[in-house]
Amino acid sequence: MVNTLNSPQREAIKYLDGPLLVLAGAGSGKTRVITQKIGYLIEEAGYSPKEIAAITFTNKAAREMQERVSKLMQGKSIKGLTIATFHSLGLQMLRAEAALLGYKPQFSILDSSDSFKILADILATTDKQLLRKTQWQISNWKNGFINPDQAKATAAEELTHTAAKVYQLYQQTLKAYQAVDFDDLIKLPVELFEQHETALNKWQRKLQYLLIDEYQDTNACQYKLVKMLTGLRGQFTAVGDDDQAIYGWRGADVENLRQLTEDFCKLKVIKLEQNYRSTIRILRGANAVIANNPKLFEKKLWSELGTGDLIQVSAAMSEEAEAESVIMKLQAHKFENRTKFMDYAILYRGNHQARIFEQQLRNHKIPYTVSGGQSFFDKAEIKDLVSYLRLVANEDDDPAFIRAATTPKKGIGNTTLERLGEYASAHKISLFAAAFEGDFQSEVGHKQLDDLLNFCTYIQKIQERAVHDPAGEVLNDLLTSIQYEAFLYDSEEPRAAESKWANVMDFIGWLTKKGEASTEFGNETDGKNLLELTQMVSLMSMLEGREDGEPDAVKLSTLHAAKGLEFGHVFLIGVEEGILPHRESIDLGVADPTKIEEERRLMYVGITRAQKSLNISWCKKRKRAGEIQMCEPSRFIAELPKDDVRHFGNPFNDPIVSKEFGKSKMANIKAMLGK
């Protein structure tokens, strides 16, 4: 099994004498090492599949790993093997131990728009910027494993002090709703293990060996969880790359790599430096750029895939000219090389840069997909249905109650809901429970009360069925009862309604399939009831949408979303001071070295996505807030090795070289057409 690997990969797979850190450079085969190591642990080292957990950051990575392991083990049983995201693993733990933390197993998982609404109620404001800042701050505290009391004690400025107070009220509200947010899925298991040693011992016995992917992206809370689960034994393999740590802004801490060397004195470090993706020139460019960052561990990527084309750097007069030039180059390259659209990616620092490229692609009738666009689960019609599911699973989930009670309209007006809300908060109970209280019922008119109680008793009926009836059957009956299809056609244009109803049918079909027992990846999986499906959907919608097969289309993506992917030919656009590096890292003329380092790692990620060719472009001027501004090429362009780069449209070029290059390209195309 391990004969096809290079020697550092082999060593990483066979090493079991304690904690191991595998420093895996871009394109060095890290997923292969993790999957082969899972096989080695089961086949050679005597581990049972149920004692092993491989932890990733996205559903897509988990799915890919699951498929690779199944193929590798060819029909041998891997029943009980855990391959999951950090958040899914946290959810499993919370489900099993909910009672110890005062939650019922049917707790709800709130998405960011639900928590945004709760914060808006607490702060009694509609100021989106303030709400976003507060939400961000609370998320950072949770990721850093800081509770509301600690946040209050350490808050230095007024804004943070207010946020700390809001944090306390926010947590109380979540507990009252029997709900958790995304960050709680990691924070609460850590709290659980700190407070209940028996639960910790149980999970340490259950998961004897951990493999952690993308280790450089872990935050303080995730690191704590890993440390607790592996205990003194330290039986784990962490795979990461300090040069690809690009999530500092959302709490990831590249210092966790250094921390490993301090917390585990027996830590072994193995470096994977052979790259199986890119040409020598592309790697020389990547190595030269990243060499300007201070290093935790020294490493240099190398490849046996040939020298390859020169890296092209083009200066355009404006963003329109840049988009036009990129699309023309892409089309010419595709024509010359007989490639597919899916071999090309256009990568950028911020989402706002995509719009003008989308226009150009549409003008030229070129198919494209945008990464990080609206997820399937963010569509209003899907959120409507999920609110019913959440309420059926947990009647104390107030945000779900409000959405389900009013979509479609059921005669429950705002005044009734307001009264219900006041009564519920005065008596510290949920909206659902408040509807059945005699004192509340005497406050509202008969008609309003009837409509409200009809809705609540209907939810109770569905709750009874949710446990034992097939999920698909319950869901179809629900749609009929609330007349959702008619509601869509009444409130939308026919074409929009049709597309929304198709999404609903798609969603129901998908859930029905998930609800049935099946054999997945060669393993028996039990059918899930509606409660388990609801928690699974809540979590999936936050991690990412559903990944369908790759269409033959040019991929537009932010650099962050492109991490982990590879493309034959990459156009890295808008590589200017103020964009990459981002202006926040160089604002007010004072460069922040740690922020600049993260921006440089982002450039490195962009360069190393390319397999065969890399085009970098920047604009001499662009429109900002309605004004034309002059731009400078990014400092990272100057860090590329001179001998591996050809510049275009730049006054510092040798005009003869550019002209000769243009002539030879033209001659090639003519020759092809002649054939």
Side-chain angles (χ1 to χ4, degrees):
M1 179 165 70
V2 291
N3 290 344
T4 55
L5 304 168
N6 64 37
S7 73
Q9 287 175 331
R10 264 200 301 277
E11 189 188 1
I13 284 164
K14 291 182 171 180
Y15 185 80
L16 294 173
D17 296 338
L20 170 67
L21 170 61
V22 179
L23 279 173
S28 63
K30 71 177 175 70
T31 310
R32 198 171 179 205
V33 166
I34 295 172
T35 50
Q36 299 259 20
K37 185 149 193 170
I38 292 171
Y40 186 81
L41 288 167
I42 296 168
E43 302 255 87
E44 309 286 333
Y47 279 86
S48 152
K50 64 174 186 289
E51 295 171 334
I52 303 167
I55 310 173
T56 69
F57 274 83
T58 64
N59 286 324
K60 188 168 179 261
R63 228 177 5 246
E64 186 184 322
M65 209 174 278
Q66 180 79 272
E67 282 162 9
R68 284 203 197 184
V69 171
S70 300
K71 210 178 265 179
L72 188 70
M73 301 301 282
Q74 283 178 340
K76 293 172 191 153
S77 172
I78 48 172
K79 194 172 170 62
L81 172 69
T82 301
I83 296 182
T85 62
F86 266 104
H87 294 90
S88 316
L89 184 63
L91 174 60
Q92 278 178 41
M93 292 167 172
L94 284 183
R95 245 194 222 141
E97 317 294 344
L100 291 174
L101 286 171
Y103 284 89
K104 53 187 188 187
Q106 306 96 301
F107 59 83
S108 298
I109 304 169
L110 301 189
D111 68 11
S112 102
S113 63
D114 291 321
S115 66
F116 194 80
K117 181 148 188 352
I118 293 169
L119 291 172
D121 290 345
I122 293 171
L123 278 162
T125 180
T126 53
D127 179 345
K128 283 194 173 156
Q129 204 177 355
L130 173 65
L131 288 167
R132 255 196 292 274
K133 270 189 184 154
T134 311
Q135 193 173 28
W136 195 245
Q137 181 62 70
I138 290 172
S139 178
N140 276 348
W141 278 325
K142 287 189 178 190
N143 289 333
F145 200 66
I146 294 165
N147 65 32
D149 292 333
Q150 293 165 321
K152 261 188 200 165
T154 55
E157 57 207 62
E158 201 178 329
L159 183 73
T160 341
H161 203 73
T162 311
K165 282 186 197 156
V166 173
Y167 180 16
Q168 191 122 36
L169 293 166
Y170 172 71
Q171 279 309 100
Q172 287 164 2
T173 309
L174 289 193
K175 197 71 195 268
Y177 290 173
Q178 282 283 307
V180 301
D181 67 15
F182 196 49
D183 300 315
D184 286 332
L185 293 173
I186 313 290
K187 182 173 162 282
L188 289 175
V190 175
E191 278 177 20
L192 169 82
F193 293 148
E194 279 191 339
Q195 293 161 21
H196 301 277
E197 206 176 331
T198 48
L200 175 59
N201 293 338
K202 172 183 149 186
W203 282 90
Q204 282 178 338
R205 276 195 309 276
K206 183 174 156 55
L207 302 175
Q208 301 267 322
Y209 201 96
L210 290 191
L211 299 110
I212 305 110
D213 190 16
E214 303 284 12
Y215 185 76
Q216 77 284 348
D217 293 339
T218 54
N219 58 39
C221 216
Q222 286 160 333
Y223 180 46
K224 238 178 156 69
L225 185 62
V226 167
K227 223 163 65 172
M228 290 175 115
L229 286 173
T230 54
L232 297 169
R233 298 185 329 277
Q235 286 298 85
F236 68 82
T237 296
V239 181
D241 180 7
D242 49 327
D243 290 334
Q244 292 187 75
I246 57 173
Y247 287 109
W249 52 277
R250 70 169 190 208
D253 191 354
V254 70
E255 278 298 307
N256 286 347
L257 284 166
R258 194 197 310 275
Q259 200 59 44
L260 273 182
T261 59
E262 290 171 20
D263 291 347
F264 297 92
C265 52
K266 285 170 115 182
L267 182 79
K268 182 171 177 69
V269 178
I270 295 173
K271 297 176 191 175
L272 304 183
E273 295 169 295
Q274 182 173 0
N275 170 289
Y276 293 94
R277 175 186 297 158
S278 309
T279 62
I280 291 168
R281 275 202 170 114
I282 289 168
L283 292 184
R284 275 205 297 248
N287 286 333
V289 169
I290 207 69
N292 293 282
N293 270 3
K295 302 294 252 175
L296 271 178
F297 305 94
E298 232 12 272
K299 73 171 186 317
K300 217 169 196 164
L301 294 181
W302 58 278
S303 152
E304 292 177 339
L305 298 174
T307 310
D309 296 342
L310 286 163
I311 296 169
Q312 293 190 26
V313 176
S314 312
M317 285 314 291
S318 65
E319 51 218 293
E320 287 84 2
E322 182 187 33
E324 221 166 281
S325 153
V326 164
I327 305 311
M328 282 176 69
K329 275 186 189 160
L330 190 154
Q331 282 183 301
H333 190 279
K334 181 177 181 295
F335 177 74
E336 272 182 74
N337 296 278
R338 299 281 190 263
T339 45
K340 292 181 169 171
F341 284 121
M342 68 198 299
D343 297 328
Y344 297 86
I346 298 172
L347 307 181
Y348 37 82
R349 176 66 178 83
N351 274 313
H352 65 278
Q353 292 169 268
R355 192 185 55 79
I356 196 158
F357 283 84
E358 285 193 65
Q359 277 173 353
Q360 279 293 335
L361 288 161
R362 281 200 298 270
N363 291 349
H364 289 86
K365 298 190 171 42
I366 296 173
Y368 67 90
T369 59
V370 183
S371 200
Q374 191 192 35
S375 142
F376 181 76
F377 294 99
D378 280 338
K379 295 179 188 297
E381 60 274 24
I382 304 303
K383 284 188 143 183
D384 288 345
L385 287 193
V386 170
S387 67
Y388 282 89
L389 297 184
R390 277 175 31 192
L391 190 57
V392 167
N394 169 20
E395 62 202 38
D396 297 329
D397 184 340
D398 283 0
F401 180 95
I402 292 164
R403 187 163 189 148
T406 54
T407 319
K409 295 233 180 303
K410 299 168 183 66
I412 304 167
N414 284 349
T415 319
T416 312
L417 283 174
E418 232 164 87
R419 280 204 198 151
L420 187 65
E422 282 162 13
Y423 185 92
S425 60
H427 294 80
K428 298 194 167 34
I429 55 177
S430 70
L431 296 172
F432 192 92
F436 291 98
E437 296 267 307
D439 288 352
F440 164 72
Q441 293 183 356
S442 61
E443 287 179 21
V444 287
H446 287 307
K447 169 80 177 82
Q448 285 84 346
L449 185 60
D450 284 351
D451 289 333
L452 185 61
L453 290 178
N454 283 341
F455 170 67
C456 294
T457 49
Y458 177 68
I459 294 295
Q460 286 175 325
K461 271 190 205 137
I462 297 278
Q463 281 175 326
E464 285 163 28
R465 294 186 58 193
V467 188
H468 45 77
D469 286 3
E473 201 178 292
V474 180
L475 290 165
N476 278 309
D477 290 351
L478 171 76
L479 284 178
T480 310
S481 300
I482 64 173
Q483 300 181 322
Y484 193 73
E485 187 178 8
F487 158 74
L488 283 179
Y489 279 93
D490 287 345
S491 48
E492 300 282 348
E493 292 290 314
R495 187 173 278 178
E498 197 177 316
S499 130
K500 289 187 171 207
W501 182 244
N503 287 336
V504 169
M505 290 288 89
D506 190 17
F507 181 55
I508 299 288
W510 178 72
L511 276 180
T512 305
K513 211 161 122 205
K514 288 275 179 202
E516 295 160 356
S518 66
T519 304
E520 198 173 7
F521 305 120
N523 284 326
E524 286 292 319
T525 59
D526 300 327
K528 289 182 168 67
N529 67 25
L530 211 48
L531 158 66
E532 291 166 324
L533 287 174
T534 303
Q535 287 181 332
M536 178 194 75
V537 166
S538 300
L539 183 57
M540 277 194 76
S541 64
M542 282 177 257
L543 284 166
E544 72 214 24
R546 304 166 317 151
E547 300 288 329
D548 295 320
E550 283 288 298
D552 182 24
V554 175
K555 180 82 152 188
L556 265 61
S557 172
T558 61
L559 287 164
H560 285 100
K563 187 157 103 48
L565 304 177
E566 57 187 28
F567 307 94
H569 310 281
V570 166
F571 290 90
L572 190 46
I573 63 157
V575 185
E576 292 145 38
E577 288 292 299
I579 293 183
L580 182 67
H582 195 275
R583 65 174 166 275
E584 274 179 23
S585 61
I586 51 177
D587 240 355
L588 307 172
V590 186
D592 176 341
T594 58
K595 282 186 177 170
I596 296 269
E597 283 158 25
E598 180 149 327
E599 293 293 306
R600 186 176 281 112
R601 292 195 289 266
L602 208 45
M603 177 76 175
Y604 174 83
V605 164
I607 294 170
T608 53
R609 296 314 91 204
Q611 295 168 307
K612 299 188 176 106
S613 78
L614 175 65
N615 277 272
I616 294 170
S617 57
W618 62 280
C619 295
K620 294 179 181 177
K621 55 182 187 224
R622 66 171 67 230
K623 235 186 218 161
R624 272 215 191 104
E627 284 180 31
I628 299 287
Q629 290 188 344
M630 300 311 289
C631 308
E632 287 176 40
S634 164
R635 65 194 69 194
F636 306 142
I637 290 177
E639 293 170 359
L640 291 164
K642 305 269 178 290
D643 295 343
D644 291 314
V645 177
R646 178 184 274 119
H647 288 271
F648 293 92
N650 196 330
F652 310 112
N653 276 357
D654 178 348
I656 296 166
V657 174
S658 294
K659 208 169 179 185
E660 288 308 312
F661 181 75
K663 275 185 180 168
S664 72
K665 284 293 257 189
M666 206 57 204
N668 279 347
I669 290 177
K670 277 181 179 163
M672 281 181 71
L673 287 170
K675 280 181 193 169

